Amino acid sequence: MRLGRIAGVTAASAAMVLAVANSAVAADHTMHTGDAWGDVPGVDWSGTGFFNEYGDVVTIKDNDADGRGVTMNVYIGSPSGNPRYSFTVGGEGNTATRKASMGGSFDLPENTRIGFKFCRAPDGECKDYTFLNDH
């Protein structure tokens, strides 16, 4: 009976890991920071970001234990001027998420281009993205 319980816990743990991994894979759009190594194949970027149009879900992850964090600036239109909102996360493996259900500026307009400026913080090595929010 004890072995069956351990097997059940192991299966449940594996399912949870798979569900977390699939949430990032299922993103409509994937982004990375513009750090110096960002364009080298096989090299880890300082941060990875995901945008799911349904629910306006923006998630960022700090990939490096380098004493820096990552910041996402979100814009209506091109990634310039004043952002609609910004948020930061630090610490290798840590993530932060903003979504429409949080209300206010996190609820992005539909059928509109949304701009993103994803940066390593605090030195500001950034990469710009623009996606049509049509879901």
PDB file of all heavy atoms in Angstrom, residues 2-24:
ATOM      1  N   ARG A   2       1.979   1.242   0.749  1.00  0.00           N
ATOM      2  CA  ARG A   2       2.870   2.396   0.813  1.00  0.00           C
ATOM      3  C   ARG A   2       3.493   2.688  -0.550  1.00  0.00           C
ATOM      4  O   ARG A   2       3.615   3.828  -0.958  1.00  0.00           O
ATOM      5  CB  ARG A   2       3.931   2.129   1.863  1.00  0.00           C
ATOM      6  CG  ARG A   2       4.814   3.287   2.114  1.00  0.00           C
ATOM      7  CD  ARG A   2       5.797   2.944   3.219  1.00  0.00           C
ATOM      8  NE  ARG A   2       6.760   3.983   3.322  1.00  0.00           N
ATOM      9  CZ  ARG A   2       6.965   4.699   4.404  1.00  0.00           C
ATOM     10  NH1 ARG A   2       6.276   4.461   5.478  1.00  0.00           N
ATOM     11  NH2 ARG A   2       7.870   5.639   4.410  1.00  0.00           N
ATOM     12  N   LEU A   3       3.895   1.652  -1.277  1.00  0.00           N
ATOM     13  CA  LEU A   3       4.473   1.815  -2.596  1.00  0.00           C
ATOM     14  C   LEU A   3       3.471   2.461  -3.552  1.00  0.00           C
ATOM     15  O   LEU A   3       3.827   3.331  -4.334  1.00  0.00           O
ATOM     16  CB  LEU A   3       4.940   0.460  -3.135  1.00  0.00           C
ATOM     17  CG  LEU A   3       5.667   0.478  -4.474  1.00  0.00           C
ATOM     18  CD1 LEU A   3       6.894   1.389  -4.385  1.00  0.00           C
ATOM     19  CD2 LEU A   3       6.099  -0.913  -4.872  1.00  0.00           C
ATOM     20  N   GLY A   4       2.205   2.066  -3.468  1.00  0.00           N
ATOM     21  CA  GLY A   4       1.163   2.663  -4.307  1.00  0.00           C
ATOM     22  C   GLY A   4       0.993   4.146  -4.030  1.00  0.00           C
ATOM     23  O   GLY A   4       0.798   4.952  -4.931  1.00  0.00           O
ATOM     24  N   ARG A   5       1.094   4.543  -2.777  1.00  0.00           N
ATOM     25  CA  ARG A   5       0.957   5.946  -2.395  1.00  0.00           C
ATOM     26  C   ARG A   5       2.131   6.762  -2.956  1.00  0.00           C
ATOM     27  O   ARG A   5       1.956   7.843  -3.477  1.00  0.00           O
ATOM     28  CB  ARG A   5       0.885   6.074  -0.884  1.00  0.00           C
ATOM     29  CG  ARG A   5       0.704   7.503  -0.423  1.00  0.00           C
ATOM     30  CD  ARG A   5       0.536   7.609   1.050  1.00  0.00           C
ATOM     31  NE  ARG A   5      -0.823   7.185   1.366  1.00  0.00           N
ATOM     32  CZ  ARG A   5      -1.254   6.948   2.574  1.00  0.00           C
ATOM     33  NH1 ARG A   5      -0.444   7.046   3.607  1.00  0.00           N
ATOM     34  NH2 ARG A   5      -2.499   6.587   2.787  1.00  0.00           N
ATOM     35  N   ILE A   6       3.343   6.224  -2.869  1.00  0.00           N
ATOM     36  CA  ILE A   6       4.526   6.909  -3.408  1.00  0.00           C
ATOM     37  C   ILE A   6       4.402   7.063  -4.919  1.00  0.00           C
ATOM     38  O   ILE A   6       4.696   8.114  -5.471  1.00  0.00           O
ATOM     39  CB  ILE A   6       5.812   6.149  -3.018  1.00  0.00           C
ATOM     40  CG1 ILE A   6       6.042   6.272  -1.508  1.00  0.00           C
ATOM     41  CG2 ILE A   6       7.012   6.690  -3.778  1.00  0.00           C
ATOM     42  CD1 ILE A   6       7.147   5.383  -0.981  1.00  0.00           C
ATOM     43  N   ALA A   7       3.962   6.005  -5.585  1.00  0.00           N
ATOM     44  CA  ALA A   7       3.785   6.069  -7.041  1.00  0.00           C
ATOM     45  C   ALA A   7       2.765   7.142  -7.405  1.00  0.00           C
ATOM     46  O   ALA A   7       2.946   7.891  -8.368  1.00  0.00           O
ATOM     47  CB  ALA A   7       3.359   4.715  -7.586  1.00  0.00           C
ATOM     48  N   GLY A   8       1.689   7.250  -6.623  1.00  0.00           N
ATOM     49  CA  GLY A   8       0.662   8.267  -6.886  1.00  0.00           C
ATOM     50  C   GLY A   8       1.205   9.669  -6.712  1.00  0.00           C
ATOM     51  O   GLY A   8       0.915  10.567  -7.501  1.00  0.00           O
ATOM     52  N   VAL A   9       2.007   9.888  -5.667  1.00  0.00           N
ATOM     53  CA  VAL A   9       2.617  11.202  -5.434  1.00  0.00           C
ATOM     54  C   VAL A   9       3.589  11.535  -6.558  1.00  0.00           C
ATOM     55  O   VAL A   9       3.621  12.648  -7.062  1.00  0.00           O
ATOM     56  CB  VAL A   9       3.327  11.241  -4.053  1.00  0.00           C
ATOM     57  CG1 VAL A   9       4.173  12.491  -3.913  1.00  0.00           C
ATOM     58  CG2 VAL A   9       2.309  11.140  -2.934  1.00  0.00           C
ATOM     59  N   THR A  10       4.375  10.545  -6.986  1.00  0.00           N
ATOM     60  CA  THR A  10       5.326  10.755  -8.080  1.00  0.00           C
ATOM     61  C   THR A  10       4.589  11.126  -9.362  1.00  0.00           C
ATOM     62  O   THR A  10       4.981  12.053 -10.072  1.00  0.00           O
ATOM     63  CB  THR A  10       6.175   9.492  -8.300  1.00  0.00           C
ATOM     64  OG1 THR A  10       6.854   9.194  -7.080  1.00  0.00           O
ATOM     65  CG2 THR A  10       7.181   9.688  -9.412  1.00  0.00           C
ATOM     66  N   ALA A  11       3.506  10.425  -9.676  1.00  0.00           N
ATOM     67  CA  ALA A  11       2.727  10.728 -10.885  1.00  0.00           C
ATOM     68  C   ALA A  11       2.121  12.119 -10.803  1.00  0.00           C
ATOM     69  O   ALA A  11       2.135  12.870 -11.783  1.00  0.00           O
ATOM     70  CB  ALA A  11       1.638   9.686 -11.084  1.00  0.00           C
ATOM     71  N   ALA A  12       1.602  12.491  -9.644  1.00  0.00           N
ATOM     72  CA  ALA A  12       1.015  13.827  -9.475  1.00  0.00           C
ATOM     73  C   ALA A  12       2.081  14.905  -9.620  1.00  0.00           C
ATOM     74  O   ALA A  12       1.849  15.943 -10.244  1.00  0.00           O
ATOM     75  CB  ALA A  12       0.328  13.935  -8.118  1.00  0.00           C
ATOM     76  N   SER A  13       3.266  14.674  -9.082  1.00  0.00           N
ATOM     77  CA  SER A  13       4.370  15.631  -9.200  1.00  0.00           C
ATOM     78  C   SER A  13       4.780  15.796 -10.658  1.00  0.00           C
ATOM     79  O   SER A  13       5.008  16.901 -11.130  1.00  0.00           O
ATOM     80  CB  SER A  13       5.572  15.177  -8.368  1.00  0.00           C
ATOM     81  OG  SER A  13       5.241  15.157  -7.010  1.00  0.00           O
ATOM     82  N   ALA A  14       4.880  14.693 -11.374  1.00  0.00           N
ATOM     83  CA  ALA A  14       5.251  14.747 -12.792  1.00  0.00           C
ATOM     84  C   ALA A  14       4.204  15.511 -13.590  1.00  0.00           C
ATOM     85  O   ALA A  14       4.542  16.310 -14.470  1.00  0.00           O
ATOM     86  CB  ALA A  14       5.416  13.337 -13.348  1.00  0.00           C
ATOM     87  N   ALA A  15       2.927  15.297 -13.286  1.00  0.00           N
ATOM     88  CA  ALA A  15       1.861  16.009 -13.993  1.00  0.00           C
ATOM     89  C   ALA A  15       1.945  17.506 -13.726  1.00  0.00           C
ATOM     90  O   ALA A  15       1.737  18.323 -14.625  1.00  0.00           O
ATOM     91  CB  ALA A  15       0.497  15.475 -13.574  1.00  0.00           C
ATOM     92  N   MET A  16       2.278  17.895 -12.491  1.00  0.00           N
ATOM     93  CA  MET A  16       2.382  19.316 -12.159  1.00  0.00           C
ATOM     94  C   MET A  16       3.545  19.961 -12.900  1.00  0.00           C
ATOM     95  O   MET A  16       3.420  21.046 -13.448  1.00  0.00           O
ATOM     96  CB  MET A  16       2.561  19.509 -10.653  1.00  0.00           C
ATOM     97  CG  MET A  16       2.641  20.973 -10.246  1.00  0.00           C
ATOM     98  SD  MET A  16       2.854  21.185  -8.495  1.00  0.00           S
ATOM     99  CE  MET A  16       1.195  20.843  -7.960  1.00  0.00           C
ATOM    100  N   VAL A  17       4.698  19.281 -12.959  1.00  0.00           N
ATOM    101  CA  VAL A  17       5.855  19.804 -13.686  1.00  0.00           C
ATOM    102  C   VAL A  17       5.497  19.970 -15.153  1.00  0.00           C
ATOM    103  O   VAL A  17       5.802  20.981 -15.771  1.00  0.00           O
ATOM    104  CB  VAL A  17       7.075  18.880 -13.500  1.00  0.00           C
ATOM    105  CG1 VAL A  17       8.186  19.234 -14.475  1.00  0.00           C
ATOM    106  CG2 VAL A  17       7.564  18.945 -12.068  1.00  0.00           C
ATOM    107  N   LEU A  18       4.843  18.998 -15.738  1.00  0.00           N
ATOM    108  CA  LEU A  18       4.440  19.061 -17.138  1.00  0.00           C
ATOM    109  C   LEU A  18       3.484  20.222 -17.374  1.00  0.00           C
ATOM    110  O   LEU A  18       3.606  20.951 -18.350  1.00  0.00           O
ATOM    111  CB  LEU A  18       3.809  17.742 -17.565  1.00  0.00           C
ATOM    112  CG  LEU A  18       3.454  17.597 -19.044  1.00  0.00           C
ATOM    113  CD1 LEU A  18       4.697  17.789 -19.902  1.00  0.00           C
ATOM    114  CD2 LEU A  18       2.827  16.254 -19.301  1.00  0.00           C
ATOM    115  N   ALA A  19       2.541  20.450 -16.476  1.00  0.00           N
ATOM    116  CA  ALA A  19       1.587  21.553 -16.628  1.00  0.00           C
ATOM    117  C   ALA A  19       2.291  22.895 -16.580  1.00  0.00           C
ATOM    118  O   ALA A  19       2.004  23.789 -17.372  1.00  0.00           O
ATOM    119  CB  ALA A  19       0.522  21.478 -15.540  1.00  0.00           C
ATOM    120  N   VAL A  20       3.253  23.067 -15.665  1.00  0.00           N
ATOM    121  CA  VAL A  20       3.999  24.329 -15.589  1.00  0.00           C
ATOM    122  C   VAL A  20       4.821  24.522 -16.847  1.00  0.00           C
ATOM    123  O   VAL A  20       4.852  25.599 -17.436  1.00  0.00           O
ATOM    124  CB  VAL A  20       4.891  24.354 -14.323  1.00  0.00           C
ATOM    125  CG1 VAL A  20       5.846  25.521 -14.351  1.00  0.00           C
ATOM    126  CG2 VAL A  20       4.020  24.387 -13.077  1.00  0.00           C
ATOM    127  N   ALA A  21       5.497  23.490 -17.315  1.00  0.00           N
ATOM    128  CA  ALA A  21       6.307  23.594 -18.526  1.00  0.00           C
ATOM    129  C   ALA A  21       5.430  23.922 -19.727  1.00  0.00           C
ATOM    130  O   ALA A  21       5.798  24.735 -20.568  1.00  0.00           O
ATOM    131  CB  ALA A  21       7.063  22.292 -18.764  1.00  0.00           C
ATOM    132  N   ASN A  22       4.253  23.303 -19.836  1.00  0.00           N
ATOM    133  CA  ASN A  22       3.375  23.540 -20.970  1.00  0.00           C
ATOM    134  C   ASN A  22       2.800  24.948 -20.985  1.00  0.00           C
ATOM    135  O   ASN A  22       2.471  25.464 -22.040  1.00  0.00           O
ATOM    136  CB  ASN A  22       2.250  22.514 -21.004  1.00  0.00           C
ATOM    137  CG  ASN A  22       2.727  21.189 -21.521  1.00  0.00           C
ATOM    138  OD1 ASN A  22       3.755  21.106 -22.179  1.00  0.00           O
ATOM    139  ND2 ASN A  22       2.000  20.128 -21.205  1.00  0.00           N
ATOM    140  N   SER A  23       2.663  25.607 -19.833  1.00  0.00           N
ATOM    141  CA  SER A  23       2.110  26.956 -19.830  1.00  0.00           C
ATOM    142  C   SER A  23       3.025  27.911 -20.590  1.00  0.00           C
ATOM    143  O   SER A  23       2.567  28.804 -21.281  1.00  0.00           O
ATOM    144  CB  SER A  23       1.888  27.452 -18.403  1.00  0.00           C
ATOM    145  OG  SER A  23       3.117  27.617 -17.735  1.00  0.00           O
ATOM    146  N   ALA A  24       4.339  27.718 -20.482  1.00  0.00           N
ATOM    147  CA  ALA A  24       5.278  28.557 -21.227  1.00  0.00           C
ATOM    148  C   ALA A  24       5.291  28.164 -22.704  1.00  0.00           C
ATOM    149  O   ALA A  24       5.324  29.008 -23.576  1.00  0.00           O
ATOM    150  CB  ALA A  24       6.675  28.439 -20.628  1.00  0.00           C
TER     151      ALA A  24
END
